[in-house]
Amino acid sequence: MQALRFRIGERWLVVDVRHVREVCPFVAPVALPGAPEWLAGLVDLHGTLLPVADGGALLAGDRVRARLGARLLVLHGPAHDRPDAPCATFGLLVDGVEGVVTVDRGDGWTPSDGLPDLPFIREVARCDGRETLVLEVARLAQRHGALLEGSGALSLPSGGARDRKSTRLN
């Protein structure tokens, strides 16, 4: 499998390149009142409001901060294996991106229901000698309905996201 390798804290993860729409510089999302801790907020990306998950909060670690090398991954994929499944397009804040790698699917461990407290991790694989978590976009979207397109689960804070400036680091 061709995958994009990235880092959140000290952990290395990969996501299938078929689900990566874009890799952007860090963009600070506009926080949403009452949103779960893992949902960093919304960003205006090319004129579309995009929900953004904080990778650090998802992995029960420190939140991803605006620093040199931090990135926003724009991910897209179906939320289920069914043909009529809704799609999810969302951002994921990460501490750094290394590049595209080949993951040997035969050299790993696949828990049946995901890892405890990390059900969006499909498997643990070895990639270039490192234990690497394999992120499953569909499992993340299933777990968190706020990421589904058209779910209506998100609302803008008063004033709207377009009235605020984003923080960018290149």
Side-chain angles (χ1 to χ4, degrees):
M1 166 179 80
Q2 291 293 106
L4 181 70
R5 182 168 27 205
F6 58 95
R7 184 178 53 78
I8 297 174
E10 298 301 316
R11 292 185 175 154
W12 288 98
L13 296 93
V14 293
V15 64
D16 191 322
V17 293
R18 294 176 296 170
H19 297 298
V20 179
R21 284 267 173 98
E22 202 170 336
V23 177
C24 304
F26 182 94
V27 177
V30 174
L32 294 170
E37 182 181 339
W38 61 267
L39 185 60
L42 297 173
V43 297
D44 181 347
L45 186 71
H46 312 301
T48 301
L49 290 176
L50 184 73
V52 176
D54 185 295
L58 283 171
L59 292 176
D62 292 332
R63 297 182 72 82
V64 174
R65 300 195 194 298
R67 63 180 136 226
L68 194 60
R71 297 286 183 254
L72 171 68
L73 304 182
V74 180
L75 305 174
H76 178 81
H80 301 283
D81 293 333
R82 298 186 323 258
D84 63 338
C87 286
T89 301
F90 58 93
L92 178 65
L93 294 174
V94 302
D95 289 307
V97 173
E98 185 172 89
V100 177
V101 297
T102 300
V103 177
D104 180 6
R105 303 285 306 282
D107 187 23
W109 173 69
T110 305
S112 59
D113 295 323
L115 296 171
D117 298 323
L118 300 174
F120 48 87
I121 299 300
R122 180 176 68 211
E123 63 190 278
V124 180
R126 289 194 64 73
C127 186
D128 297 333
R130 295 183 196 148
E131 284 78 27
T132 304
L133 302 175
V134 180
L135 177 74
E136 179 63 50
V137 172
R139 285 186 181 180
L140 184 55
Q142 286 172 347
R143 175 120 171 128
H144 304 297
L147 301 176
L148 296 177
E149 294 174 353
S151 68
L154 297 172
S155 60
L156 286 175
S158 62
R162 294 173 192 265
D163 294 341
R164 308 209 181 150
K165 295 195 184 248
S166 296
T167 303
R168 288 187 151 220
L169 292 178
N170 290 321

